[in-house]
Amino acid sequence: MALKQYLQFKLSQKLSPQQIQLMKLIQLPTQAFEQRLKQELEENPALDTGKEKDAEEDSFDEFDNTEDDYNDNETIEAEDINVDDYLSDDEIPDYRTNVNNYSADDEEKSVPYAAGTSFTQHLINQLNTFRLSDQEYEIAVFLVGSVDESGYIRRDLSDITDDLAFTQNVYTTPEEVEKVLDIVHQLDPAGVGARGLQECLSIQLHRKEQHPDVELATNIIDNAFEQFTKKHYKKLLQKFSITEDQLKAAIEEVERLNPKPGGSYSGNNRIVEHVVPDFAIKIVDGELDLTLNGRNAPELHVSREYNNMLKGYKESKEKSKAQKDAVLFIKQKLDAAKWFIEAVRQRQQTLFVTMSSIMNYQKDYFLTGDERQLKPMILKDIADEIEMDVSTVSRVANSKYVDTPYGTKLIKEFFSESMTNDQGEEVSTREIKKILETVIEEEDKRKPLTDEKLAGILKEKGYPIARRTVAKYREQLDFPVARLRKKI
């Protein structure tokens, strides 16, 4: 019975809209937070930013008795609304003056954007160098418009033929579309418009300067692609009656090709994704020093204009219904501004406290950069230490980056479960993955190690792990199975 009552109690707990909004703010990384801040400033005229000396402190009390019903001819006394609670001589938010854990402005980096002609327009411009009929040109433009961001056309030509008829009033056949597609295949970058990886590689090889290695590579891609992708090298040696050196040279030709020709074009008008670190950790005199990116600490205050509106209301002798309506509107905006400034403060505090705890927990790693020094750490370890909810720690870890002496890292990468080695000690799964990665990188690529052999090597090193677990870690490290790691 007690258990049932406990469950009913837990289910009755609900987050307020403001708590939900705060959680969303905490989850935002630096760039997204700046966008959210910009949106709030646009939507709430009572909120302002900058170093204005007449700013209001971000601690106000609620209006008293402002929601009462009233008649049209009612005269409102000044005492009905406690304006003084909204007016203060202390105008600088204290969270801007009592914390020094913010990075200097000169360390901030702007986010570059790609500029220039779009990828599609780049291809269309090239079509003008070919002698095409009006219909062929329309088909070519439509095909170019069907090229995805990797440079491929992944739709069936019969579907494209139907779309040409329905959307462009161009009536043609799949055969004619394929004929025009051959022209698209002559555009740069080489391989664009291919319908699959095999065709993409083949187009590039046919356009290269021909010599024995390229000719063999072309023959392999065109006539033995499946055996090539599965690395059945013995079958390739027999099929083409070649030596290992010849096969190796042909494979090297293929490895120089671009499997995603669309991705190589820099002028595709997509934003270049640059990570803006939310934190920075430096080693100063042998100790770790943590700072929060200064862009997370904007100077916010209540608009001077709204402050003057309240003063004007307080000083007026007679207060009409219209004035009360105006003050109610001002109150609503001031309350929203008050909440947002407080939420920003709580966000800053939460981010800093959480990252500080993670840094101290993984102190050995941050001092050395050796991933083998990473301790087993789960979200609950940090949540318990800072006395916050696991979901809050998760929101910080999953979306934030930290600049370290060893590169910019996603914070969630520092979390890992533990396992027990043959000495009975708890070790991080990250440590095991690092060792596994080293073993695979140093293996003989002519005879790659199977998962079973990898498990045996790890066991010899003191980490008794099942083969299926090794396979899972290998996949997480983006290593293919042994057969596909094989090289001539």
Side-chain angles (χ1 to χ4, degrees):
M1 186 64 182
L3 178 61
K4 182 178 180 182
Q5 289 176 336
Y6 172 76
L7 288 174
Q8 288 176 339
F9 171 75
K10 293 294 287 184
L11 289 172
S12 68
Q13 303 303 302
K14 293 183 180 180
L15 290 175
S16 69
Q18 288 188 341
Q19 288 174 313
I20 294 172
Q21 289 298 317
L22 176 59
M23 290 298 102
K24 289 181 178 179
L25 271 184
I26 290 173
Q27 188 167 348
L28 296 177
T30 299
Q31 287 176 257
F33 170 70
E34 287 182 316
Q35 291 299 316
R36 175 68 179 85
L37 174 63
K38 181 180 178 182
Q39 177 187 350
E40 190 71 20
L41 287 167
E42 290 174 351
E43 294 178 356
N44 189 352
L47 184 67
D48 209 345
T49 185
K51 299 179 180 180
E52 188 172 337
K53 291 300 181 180
D54 292 320
E56 281 304 302
E57 185 186 26
D58 64 329
S59 57
F60 306 110
D61 294 329
E62 295 293 328
F63 272 115
D64 294 326
N65 306 319
T66 56
E67 304 298 333
D68 296 336
D69 294 333
Y70 54 89
N71 299 319
D72 290 350
N73 58 357
E74 180 182 1
T75 300
I76 303 166
E77 298 298 329
E79 301 90 84
D80 288 344
I81 299 178
N82 189 357
V83 177
D84 286 331
D85 287 343
Y86 279 78
L87 302 175
S88 171
D89 293 329
D90 186 6
E91 295 158 342
I92 304 298
D94 58 1
Y95 70 88
R96 287 296 307 178
T97 59
N98 63 5
V99 180
N100 297 316
N101 307 103
Y102 301 107
S103 61
D105 291 342
D106 57 5
E107 294 182 7
E108 297 174 11
K109 299 173 183 176
S110 60
V111 183
Y113 288 80
T117 307
S118 70
F119 186 31
T120 302
Q121 189 60 49
H122 171 68
L123 298 175
I124 291 175
N125 291 344
Q126 296 178 63
L127 291 176
N128 297 326
T129 64
F130 293 85
R131 193 180 297 276
L132 301 172
S133 67
D134 290 345
Q135 174 146 318
E136 286 174 337
Y137 183 80
E138 288 190 63
I139 294 172
V141 170
F142 193 84
L143 285 170
V144 164
S146 300
V147 172
D148 66 16
E149 61 182 14
S150 296
Y152 288 84
I153 292 177
R154 302 187 189 273
R155 300 184 62 216
D156 191 271
L157 293 187
S158 60
D159 293 337
I160 291 177
T161 304
D162 291 339
D163 281 354
L164 279 165
F166 291 134
T167 65
Q168 308 297 317
N169 290 325
V170 175
Y171 298 94
T172 181
T173 64
E175 290 74 24
E176 185 180 6
V177 172
E178 186 161 16
K179 178 184 173 184
V180 177
L181 182 59
D182 289 338
I183 296 173
V184 173
H185 288 164
Q186 297 177 48
L187 305 179
D188 290 323
V192 72
R195 287 162 288 181
L197 179 60
Q198 182 180 11
E199 188 172 50
C200 179
L201 299 177
S202 178
I203 292 169
Q204 294 179 62
L205 287 167
H206 280 285
R207 288 175 59 173
K208 292 190 73 169
E209 182 181 348
Q210 297 299 300
H211 54 76
D213 293 342
V214 173
E215 290 171 0
L216 177 57
T218 305
N219 201 0
I220 290 172
I221 294 300
D222 288 347
N223 302 305
F225 185 69
E226 184 176 355
Q227 292 169 325
F228 171 78
T229 57
K230 292 183 177 178
K231 298 196 174 183
H232 290 160
Y233 294 140
K234 288 184 179 179
K235 293 182 180 179
L236 292 174
L237 293 172
Q238 295 172 357
K239 181 179 179 70
F240 296 101
S241 300
I242 53 177
T243 66
E244 284 192 1
D245 287 341
Q246 288 175 313
L247 179 57
K248 184 176 181 180
I251 291 173
E252 287 176 352
E253 289 292 338
V254 176
E255 288 176 343
R256 294 191 187 104
L257 305 177
N258 185 359
K260 293 184 178 181
S264 65
Y265 185 73
S266 61
N268 49 16
N269 275 354
R270 289 195 302 273
I271 294 175
V272 179
E273 293 185 9
H274 283 246
V275 171
V276 175
D278 305 273
F279 306 92
I281 293 178
K282 295 180 181 179
I283 301 175
V284 180
D285 297 330
E287 294 295 326
L288 296 175
D289 178 62
L290 174 67
T291 55
L292 176 64
N293 190 317
R295 289 155 67 172
N296 291 284
E299 298 198 20
L300 300 174
H301 54 77
V302 174
S303 166
R304 188 179 193 179
E305 181 181 355
Y306 271 58
N307 183 31
N308 290 338
M309 287 182 187
L310 280 182
K311 288 181 179 178
Y313 175 82
K314 181 183 179 183
E315 292 167 1
S316 63
K317 296 181 180 179
E318 293 187 4
K319 298 175 175 58
S320 66
K321 174 182 176 297
Q323 286 176 307
K324 182 171 183 179
D325 287 342
V327 170
L328 288 175
F329 174 80
I330 294 171
K331 172 193 177 297
Q332 181 185 31
K333 294 302 180 182
L334 287 174
D335 285 343
K338 164 197 169 183
W339 173 83
F340 190 77
I341 292 172
E342 175 61 19
V344 168
R345 185 193 67 79
Q346 289 187 35
R347 176 182 180 273
Q348 293 166 216
Q349 183 179 20
T350 301
L351 294 188
F352 192 83
V353 168
T354 304
M355 189 63 228
S356 180
S357 178
I358 293 171
M359 180 184 72
N360 291 327
Y361 202 101
Q362 300 291 5
K363 185 175 182 179
D364 292 340
Y365 164 75
F366 286 114
L367 285 173
T368 64
D370 186 351
E371 291 192 3
R372 290 172 296 182
Q373 297 294 326
L374 282 171
K375 298 178 183 177
M377 179 178 72
I378 59 175
L379 296 173
K380 191 174 186 302
D381 293 330
I382 301 301
D384 289 347
E385 184 173 325
I386 62 178
E387 297 182 347
M388 290 186 183
D389 195 84
V390 170
S391 63
T392 303
V393 178
S394 176
R395 283 177 170 84
V396 175
N398 287 336
S399 57
K400 308 293 187 302
Y401 287 83
V402 57
D403 183 27
T404 75
Y406 326 105
T408 299
K409 310 285 185 181
L410 183 61
I411 295 172
K412 73 175 181 180
E413 293 178 358
F414 303 128
F415 289 84
S416 64
E417 296 179 349
S418 65
M419 70 155 289
T420 306
N421 62 15
D422 58 1
Q423 302 296 317
E425 301 170 334
E426 278 198 347
V427 294
S428 168
T429 54
R430 284 292 301 274
E431 177 181 337
I432 298 167
K433 288 180 182 178
K434 187 65 179 177
I435 295 171
L436 179 62
E437 182 180 16
T438 302
V439 170
I440 292 176
E441 288 176 346
E442 295 177 352
E443 69 185 356
D444 181 359
K445 295 305 179 185
R446 295 173 66 90
K447 295 180 181 179
L449 299 168
T450 63
D451 291 338
E452 190 171 347
K453 289 181 180 178
L454 290 171
I457 292 173
L458 287 172
K459 187 175 182 180
E460 291 175 5
K461 292 180 178 291
Y463 305 98
I465 305 175
R467 183 201 60 79
R468 63 179 179 276
T469 306
V470 169
K472 181 179 75 172
Y473 290 169
R474 173 181 54 72
E475 290 171 359
Q476 290 173 349
L477 290 167
D478 290 329
F479 285 111
V481 294
R483 176 172 52 80
L484 297 181
R485 300 200 305 274
K486 186 176 181 181
K487 292 185 178 180
I488 292 292

